[in-house]
Amino acid sequence: MKVLLVVMLTFGGLESAPALASVDHGGAAQADSVCATFLANAGFLLAGFEEAVLIDAFVTEPYSMYGSVTPQHAEALRQGNAPFDDVAVTLASHVHDDHFQAAPAAEFLNAARGAQLLSTPQVIEKLKSARAAVDSAMARALVMWPETGRGSFSHGAVQIQFLPMRHTNRRNYNVQN
């Protein structure tokens, strides 16, 4: 069973609830729109105005039956290049390798000096284990977990509310999701 992640972005006062349902295939996002680009598995790039949000995008190696981002996207992530050069916030839903891989996340944070990674305590601990993670990147990796008192985040037009959810099946109940 997969869990649907509902993301509500507010850009310039306009609420854009159907962001994942509306994909712009031809060009720049308009002032009242969000462009959603599918990357892999549960990975998306959401872009609107001058900022973008990455969700579960750091999957550069296939894992089990799950795929990965394209080689071109993997290289762009490593370098912090287009289409990822306007990313302000990155989110990782949980620590499993089909949603988050530490090495590409660390490389992205090293390259994209303005981006922040927000996630569960388990994901941030896994990021610390990545050899590529430098101190400046780790300073932008923040635990966002309501039980720690940090359940919401704002950056410019991006406003995020974090809600813990139980991962599917009993063997994964200890996974912060």
Side-chain angles (χ1 to χ4, degrees):
M1 177 175 137
K2 284 287 183 182
V3 176
L4 174 63
L5 174 66
V6 177
V7 177
M8 171 148 345
L9 299 176
T10 304
F11 288 104
L14 299 171
E15 291 186 356
S16 190
L20 295 179
S22 62
V23 178
D24 177 359
H25 291 287
Q30 297 176 358
D32 63 348
S33 69
V34 174
C35 177
T37 303
F38 173 73
L39 299 173
N41 304 331
F44 282 89
L45 171 66
L46 303 178
F49 290 122
E50 301 296 320
E51 298 176 310
V53 175
L54 275 176
I55 302 171
D56 285 354
F58 303 116
V59 181
T60 59
E61 297 294 326
Y63 175 74
S64 183
M65 65 182 176
Y66 303 101
S68 61
V69 299
T70 66
Q72 295 83 4
H73 280 146
E75 185 58 28
L77 279 168
R78 275 191 272 286
Q79 301 297 321
N81 292 338
F84 308 112
D85 51 345
D86 290 330
V87 171
V89 179
T90 64
L91 308 171
S93 61
H94 64 284
V95 73
H96 287 158
D97 285 344
D98 57 324
H99 292 264
F100 176 79
Q101 295 170 3
E107 291 170 340
F108 176 78
L109 289 172
N110 292 339
R113 302 262 179 214
Q116 293 184 287
L117 171 67
L118 311 175
S119 193
T120 68
Q122 291 172 342
V123 166
I124 302 304
E125 281 301 313
K126 186 174 181 181
L127 180 64
K128 287 179 185 177
S129 70
R131 289 184 213 171
V134 297
D135 290 342
S136 62
M138 288 308 304
R140 290 178 283 111
L142 305 174
V143 169
M144 297 303 289
W145 196 244
E147 294 171 10
T148 66
R150 297 178 91 181
S152 62
F153 178 84
S154 295
H155 180 279
V158 178
Q159 297 180 17
I160 303 168
Q161 183 72 37
F162 293 83
L163 305 170
M165 302 175 71
R166 179 170 276 172
H167 196 291
T168 58
N169 69 47
R170 274 190 203 279
R171 74 168 191 250
N172 288 313
Y173 279 0
N174 65 336
V175 174
Q176 296 166 339
N177 189 28

